[in-house]
Amino acid sequence: MSVRYQAGRAGSTILAGLLCAAVLGTGLLAPVSARAMGDDTTPTCKPGEVYDKKTKQCVKQSGANLTDDNIADYAYSLAKAERYQEALDILATARNQDSPVVLNYRGYATRKLGRIDEGIGYYLKSVAADPSYAKVREYLGEAYMLKGRSDLAREQLAAIRSICGTGCEEYHDLEEAIAAPARG
């Protein structure tokens, strides 16, 4: 390779890096899917907007024609971003208010707002609707730990073990919450 070619190649690499940084800095790629970053949540939008999975962009909440799954996923992302009341407001727009997933995320956001007993009520309704839904059992166990009921949390851990074994994320997360109760 000639010195001239190597210098040109290095310059191209630097130019490509600068171009990439410029594009990222402008937000042209936003919202970036959280799944692409190794997370299992939907991106969050500014208040008054929701993330539409179909169009892969934020749209105005009023008039958005979203599925209940889309609504639940977005509410979960809001809750993970500590926007709990917004999550509850979004969940209120779901057509099926008795969906185990809607009930679970309603319980999660409510619990995170400090209304633990109310959250437990939603979790129990979700468990009744789908006893094999491991995620709700994880969150229910965490809520029981906040109430000082490690016995009930361990019951949920046993239920998770029967649903997905000891290798699933829900099992590990609840096991950790039981071992370190201050985490909540």
Side-chain angles (χ1 to χ4, degrees), residues 71-86:
I71 289 168
D73 286 348
Y74 186 64
Y76 181 68
S77 293
L78 287 172
K80 285 298 193 176
E82 299 181 3
R83 293 167 60 182
Y84 307 119
Q85 189 56 55
E86 287 178 71

Side-chain angles (χ1 to χ4, degrees), residues 99-120:
S99 156
V101 176
V102 169
L103 289 166
N104 178 39
Y105 294 155
R106 185 178 296 283
Y108 180 84
T110 303
R111 170 174 62 104
K112 290 297 192 171
L113 285 170
R115 302 186 327 241
I116 299 167
D117 291 328
E118 184 182 349
I120 288 172

Side-chain angles (χ1 to χ4, degrees), residues 21-120:
V23 168
L24 289 173
T26 63
L28 290 174
L29 300 179
V32 175
S33 171
R35 283 189 178 89
M37 297 183 296
D39 194 337
D40 194 26
T41 58
T42 302
T44 58
C45 305
K46 62 185 177 185
E49 293 184 342
V50 294
Y51 185 78
D52 184 343
K53 285 183 179 181
K54 204 178 280 187
T55 63
K56 298 189 182 333
Q57 61 185 350
C58 294
V59 297
K60 292 222 178 281
Q61 182 180 345
S62 60
N65 188 21
L66 304 175
T67 66
D68 283 357
D69 285 342
N70 197 148
I71 289 168
D73 286 348
Y74 186 64
Y76 181 68
S77 293
L78 287 172
K80 285 298 193 176
E82 299 181 3
R83 293 167 60 182
Y84 307 119
Q85 189 56 55
E86 287 178 71
L88 291 172
D89 294 343
I90 292 292
L91 287 167
T93 67
R95 290 177 229 11
N96 182 3
Q97 291 294 308
D98 295 322
S99 156
V101 176
V102 169
L103 289 166
N104 178 39
Y105 294 155
R106 185 178 296 283
Y108 180 84
T110 303
R111 170 174 62 104
K112 290 297 192 171
L113 285 170
R115 302 186 327 241
I116 299 167
D117 291 328
E118 184 182 349
I120 288 172

Side-chain angles (χ1 to χ4, degrees), residues 1-11:
M1 244 188 263
S2 73
V3 173
R4 186 173 179 199
Y5 176 74
Q6 288 176 341
R9 190 170 162 202

